[in-house]
């Protein structure tokens, strides 16, 4: 095993170097504080490995993403989302029997406890569906308290994936004032979700195959992305031994922010703003470069990808294909493509290695499928569920799992005497 040397206050310390299966190097500094009294400081954690993990490999410099070793483009072209969920959570592709059983379980557990339906009545119609999804997922712990124990883990995993789509669809129905549509057991995961979203009791609804295929692809592309903000949040919460539902609800909340999964909603809002403003995309590229403007091109940039985001490449091609298949003409797709073209040939974006990320084109596809903008981040969450669960499970099974508790460098006042209120100026 190789080691790394650190010289601090004239003394030399040695730390083991941990190698990943793809030759990534990490300096194991777990003995740093006990040996030196110093800690590392890495705001934003850009240089910090919080764990070792077998689930997903990303090489941001080369634009590589693999789930359990399988390249994302192969998985995206050939797999079913349910298969991918199984792969991420259990580590192997399911055989036909395992796949059929998992699929059946995900259908069978789709119903919500009837009492949970009453929760929806309490939300205003303007409630953001992410607010509903996160609180409903946390509330599942009230209905399945066994999630607090190590028993029934697999059953609770299935319940969560199965019911999340029902919660998501009901949260949409709530915002448009339509009756909730119950899941149908003859439908697969994606079709069942689309049925609950778009069917009404008064007429038949058939899931368009193009829509089902596009949704399947979108969910797969979002299914995991190793230690991103929401997964790390979920792991942080889970490290306290919070139950599965509580931990995942925390991940959903972290995903909501516009720097993370909330960017897909912001991309469409930005493209709409540019269109209303005469489609002058160059003006907005200029604004994004202006340090004083606070404006960023939403859907651009990534902490890890410094070349291209393979998911965005797949989605760009898919957007054009799906829109053509559905006969949808969306001016936002043209604006997005032009914006990308201008940005990618601009020194600023080239220097800073800013490329479209997964959120840049996903919204255009969701729009074409009829999914409203405020539901986009919920769609991301549905896709990311298997990834969060896989990390939750991996962490629970790790005998070295400890509570996550970072430290800090304190820069506040040093000790001083308390001044009673009547003596303060
Ligand atoms: N538009 C314009 N400039 C940008 C953008 C952007 N979208 N993203 C980064 N930059 C600039 C920053 O101003 C910074 O410039 P500086 O070095 O002169 O200060 C430099 O590029 C590096 O940016 P950071 O914010 O330091 O990079 P970081 O890795 O911390 O942030 C992030 C990554 C949050 C994704 C950022 O690129 C961003 O805000 N993008 C827009 C929001 C977005 O699309 N988020 C979705 C990410 S994908 C996902 O989470 C699913």
């Amino acid at each position: 095993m190789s080691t790394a040397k650190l010289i601090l206050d004239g003394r030399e310390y040695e730390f083991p170097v941990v190698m990943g299966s793809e030759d990534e190097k990490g300096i194991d500094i777990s003995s740093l504080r006990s040996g030196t009294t110093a800690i590392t400081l890495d705001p934003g954690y850009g240089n910090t490995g919080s764990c070792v993990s077998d689930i997903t490999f990303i090489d941001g410099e080369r634009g590589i993403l693999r789930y359990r070793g399988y390249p994302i483009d192969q998985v995206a072209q050939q797999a079913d989302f349910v298969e991918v969920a199984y792969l991420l959570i259990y580590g192997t592709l399911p055989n036909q029997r395992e796949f059929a059983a998992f699929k059946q379980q995900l259908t069978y557990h789709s119903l919500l406890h009837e009492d949970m339906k009453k929760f929806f009545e309490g939300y205003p119609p303007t409630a953001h569906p992410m607010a509903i999804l996160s609180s409903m997922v946390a509330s599942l712990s009230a209905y399945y308290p066994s999630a607090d124990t190590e028993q029934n883990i697999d059953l609770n995993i299935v319940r969560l994936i199965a019911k999340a789509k029902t919660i998501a669809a009901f949260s949409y129905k709530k915002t448009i004032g339509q009756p909730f549509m119950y899941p149908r057991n003859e439908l697969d995961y994606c079709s069942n979700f689309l049925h609950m979203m778009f069917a009404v009791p008064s007429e038949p609804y058939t899931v368009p195959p193009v829509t089902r295929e596009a949704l399947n692809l979108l969910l797969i592309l979002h299914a995991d992305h190793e230690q991103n903000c929401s997964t790390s949040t979920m792991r942080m919460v889970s490290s306290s031994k919070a139950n599965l539902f509580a931990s995942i609800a925390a991940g959903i909340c972290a995903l909501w922010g516009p720097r993370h999964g909330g960017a897909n909603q912001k991309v469409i809002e930005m493209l709409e703003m540019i269109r209303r403003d005469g489609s002058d995309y160059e003006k907005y590229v200029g604004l994004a470069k202006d340090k004083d403007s606070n404006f960023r091109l939403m859907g651009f940039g990534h902490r890890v990808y410094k070349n291209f985001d393979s998911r965005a490449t797949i989605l760009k091609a898919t957007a054009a294909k799906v829109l053509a298949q559905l006969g949808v003409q969306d001016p936002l797709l043209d604006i997005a493509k032009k914006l990308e073209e201008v940005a990618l040939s601009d020194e600023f974006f080239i220097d800073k290695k800013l490329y479209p990320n997964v959120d840049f084109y996903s919204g255009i596809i969701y729009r074409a499928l009829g999914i409203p903008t405020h539901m986009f981040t919920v769609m991301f969450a549905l896709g990311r569920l298997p990834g969060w669960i896989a990390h939750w499970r991996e962490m629970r099974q790790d005998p070295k799992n400890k509570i996550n508790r970072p430290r800090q460098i304190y820069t506040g006042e040093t000790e001083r005497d308390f001044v009673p209120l009547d003596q303060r100026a």
Side-chain angles (χ1 to χ4, degrees), residues 177-245:
Q178 282 187 1
F180 299 142
M181 294 299 292
Y182 280 75
R184 300 199 57 94
N185 284 359
E186 76 275 16
L187 296 175
D188 62 48
Y189 189 90
C190 290
S191 304
N192 217 348
F193 171 73
L194 291 166
H195 160 81
M196 289 189 279
M197 281 284 287
F198 298 122
V200 286
S202 39
E203 59 187 28
Y205 172 79
T206 310
V207 176
V210 180
T211 309
R212 193 238 161 244
E213 288 315 309
L215 178 61
N216 183 59
L217 177 81
L218 281 155
L219 295 183
I220 289 175
L221 292 179
H222 287 86
D224 193 41
H225 217 233
E226 47 113 313
Q227 310 309 321
N228 55 82
C229 173
S230 54
T231 304
S232 299
T233 302
M234 186 286 300
R235 286 185 86 120
M236 174 71 89
V237 173
S238 167
S239 79
S240 75
K241 293 247 166 169
N243 69 58
L244 172 70
F245 303 120

Side-chain angles (χ1 to χ4, degrees), residues 129 168-169 171-172 175-176 190 193-198 205 210-212 214-216 218-219 264-265 268 272 322 326 328 330 332 362-380 382:
S171 70
Y172 169 62
T175 61
I176 55 168
C190 290
F193 171 73
L194 291 166
H195 160 81
M196 289 189 279
M197 281 284 287
F198 298 122
Y205 172 79
V210 180
T211 309
R212 193 238 161 244
L215 178 61
N216 183 59
L218 281 155
L219 295 183
N264 56 12
Q265 175 173 344
I268 294 297
E272 273 171 344
V322 169
L326 292 172
V328 172
D330 190 344
L332 297 196
S362 63
I364 290 172
I365 308 178
Y366 284 131
R367 263 163 73 91
L369 305 187
I371 292 170
T373 314
H374 66 292
M375 279 292 287
F376 289 179
T377 314
V378 167
M379 303 308 298
F380 193 150
L382 283 188

